[in-house]
Amino acid sequence: MVALPSPSGADLTVAAGGRQDVRSLGLNPNHWYVVARSAEVTNKPVGVTLWGEAIVLYRDAKGHIQALEDRCPHRQVKLSEGEVAQGELECIYHGWRFDAAGGCTHVPYLAENQKLPSCQLKTYPVQDLDGFVWLFPGDRDRLTSKHIQPMGLPEWDHINYIASVTLIDVESHYSFLIENLMDMYHGRLHDDLQAWANPVLAHLEATDQRVDVLYNAQSYYRIDKIWSVSQLFIPALRQLHPEELRVSYVYPHWVSTLGQDFKICCLFCPVSPTHTRAYLIHFTSLQRFHRLHKLPMAFRRFVKNRLFNAAQGLLAGLVDQDVLMLEQEQAAYLKNPDYKGPELNRALTSVQKLIYQQAHPN
């Protein structure tokens, strides 16, 4: 095998036949990635990293989120260490200030006969949408001509859905995480933390944009009674029933539904070839509670907000178990990148093909 440089400076392993190893593939920048929760960006700059690019997020004077490269052109220090002054980014080192267009607007010790430096910071298209910060790192002309839109989370503000969020921070390539999410055959790892069992892959469709898989499964959790949630904690109350389990890799993100009661999404922010951050969002539907729908909207909004993150503990438990496995997979790969274990799940081979297609767009 030979090594090629990646955009972030890491080596990318290429097989002798010329096909790049999926565990070293880069990402397609011409998509919207999720780099933070909206609530995380307040009156203090926030530094994030997307595939080796250091980016600073902040809110301008109107409260809109802006995104610039996280580098002061003066001495190359991080602007995220500074503050927001009059709606602009101010460097903590010498007080240079930059606007949303990336231009320098103020140097506190500038003499009367000196002009402002003409340095220009890279900026990024960004959207504050459905509780998250979506950032586009790719070709702006393509963004405009192709009308590329974020996947979005319509359930986030929907009155009939309760959301819970947890962060996945794993020292592994993003392909390991998306394969884990698409693989419904590792349920024994999670014991009683998941609401389904006995999956059987029934149907698979794949394009160069997404992979959609239907598993026929058994579920014990149906949200149709006020006490339904107790089934998660009291095994004696559980009664299995057939349920469709659908999982989709809508590049670069993941979506899953279990019957009509649950939807789970995973929004990706690959940091480097060996580090991935992602937000796992669980939605519980209240559609079956018809009497609830007749109550005043203010009360329903109170219920939605009061129950926010009710399932966060369960999500965090699942994530902890998966992260342990993913980091072991990454370590094993780094030790012996030539070894390829047998893969019997067609969903995962389709995922690997999609990652390759997206990393090498036409």
Side-chain angles (χ1 to χ4, degrees):
M1 307 184 98
V2 295
L4 294 179
S6 77
S8 61
D11 287 340
L12 300 183
T13 305
V14 178
R19 186 179 178 90
Q20 194 172 316
D21 193 300
V22 69
R23 308 304 178 193
S24 300
L25 286 170
L27 53 79
N28 184 343
N30 292 314
H31 292 273
W32 290 91
Y33 292 83
V34 168
V35 293
R37 287 181 58 185
S38 300
E40 295 171 339
V41 186
T42 57
N43 59 352
K44 170 72 177 169
V46 176
V48 299
T49 303
L50 176 60
W51 205 247
E53 294 189 40
I55 301 166
V56 57
L57 309 172
Y58 72 99
R59 291 189 183 271
D60 62 21
K62 296 183 178 179
H64 300 151
I65 295 178
Q66 305 293 344
L68 283 71
E69 62 177 303
D70 194 4
R71 176 190 64 85
C72 180
H74 177 215
R75 292 295 181 88
Q76 312 300 305
V77 300
K78 288 185 175 295
L79 289 169
S80 56
E81 299 287 351
E83 60 184 30
V84 179
Q86 300 179 16
E88 298 180 337
L89 269 178
E90 186 172 282
C91 181
I92 194 172
Y93 201 2
H94 292 88
W96 289 30
R97 197 176 295 169
F98 301 88
D99 61 17
C104 182
T105 63
H106 176 69
V107 175
Y109 52 87
L110 193 71
E112 291 185 2
N113 62 343
Q114 288 180 303
K115 294 182 179 180
L116 283 169
S118 59
C119 46
Q120 178 68 41
L121 293 174
K122 181 179 180 180
T123 64
Y124 298 84
V126 66
Q127 291 194 41
D128 185 357
L129 176 68
D130 297 333
F132 292 86
V133 181
W134 305 73
L135 184 141
F136 188 89
D139 185 334
R140 291 195 182 215
D141 290 337
R142 184 178 180 86
L143 171 65
T144 303
S145 64
K146 299 294 184 181
H147 305 288
I148 302 172
Q149 297 297 323
M151 183 180 74
L153 297 174
E155 295 83 7
W156 185 261
D157 287 320
H158 196 292
I159 197 68
N160 287 337
Y161 288 89
I162 306 299
S164 296
V165 183
T166 196
L167 176 68
I168 302 174
D169 196 324
V170 57
E171 297 295 330
S172 77
H173 188 266
Y174 70 88
S175 64
F176 285 117
L177 176 55
I178 190 61
E179 289 179 25
N180 169 274
L181 293 166
M182 294 292 289
D183 177 16
M184 297 296 104
Y185 293 133
H186 72 279
R188 64 178 299 168
L189 172 67
H190 300 308
D191 296 326
D192 294 330
L193 290 179
Q194 64 183 26
W196 49 266
N198 308 321
V200 177
L201 197 157
H203 186 68
L204 184 151
E205 292 185 10
T207 70
D208 61 354
Q209 298 293 322
R210 59 189 294 159
V211 176
D212 297 288
V213 182
L214 167 64
Y215 290 90
N216 290 329
Q218 297 286 314
S219 174
Y220 61 76
Y221 195 16
R222 177 171 288 163
I223 307 298
D224 55 359
K225 301 290 190 301
I226 295 298
W227 51 265
S228 294
V229 69
S230 62
Q231 298 169 81
L232 287 174
F233 309 101
I234 306 176
L237 296 178
R238 300 171 182 174
Q239 294 182 343
L240 288 173
H241 61 273
E243 200 78 272
E244 288 188 344
L245 177 60
R246 297 181 180 273
V247 293
S248 298
Y249 184 21
V250 187
Y251 189 96
H253 308 297
W254 175 84
V255 180
S256 172
T257 59
L258 178 63
Q260 299 178 0
D261 295 324
F262 298 102
K263 181 174 183 178
I264 306 179
C265 303
C266 191
L267 308 178
F268 276 70
C269 178
V271 176
S272 75
T274 57
H275 185 190
T276 301
R277 285 170 56 91
Y279 290 91
L280 191 65
I281 307 102
H282 178 284
F283 293 105
T284 300
S285 171
L286 301 180
Q287 302 279 16
R288 296 180 188 267
F289 294 97
H290 301 294
R291 293 182 180 178
L292 180 64
H293 303 167
K294 299 177 182 179
L295 295 175
M297 187 62 68
F299 178 77
R300 294 172 65 188
R301 179 64 61 181
F302 169 79
V303 171
K304 176 181 174 69
N305 294 338
R306 188 70 177 83
L307 294 177
F308 174 74
N309 257 351
Q312 198 275 338
L314 290 172
L315 286 181
L318 289 165
V319 168
D320 287 345
Q321 293 171 342
D322 281 331
V323 164
L324 179 63
M325 297 295 102
L326 297 175
E327 292 187 345
Q328 290 183 21
E329 286 187 282
Q330 179 68 48
Y333 168 75
L334 293 175
K335 184 177 181 179
N336 186 6
D338 291 321
Y339 178 75
K340 300 294 185 293
E343 181 52 67
L344 305 180
N345 187 343
R346 292 185 294 123
L348 304 198
T349 55
S350 295
V351 163
Q352 292 183 2
K353 181 179 179 181
L354 175 54
I355 290 173
Y356 188 86
Q357 290 172 325
Q358 287 288 335
H360 299 85
N362 294 329

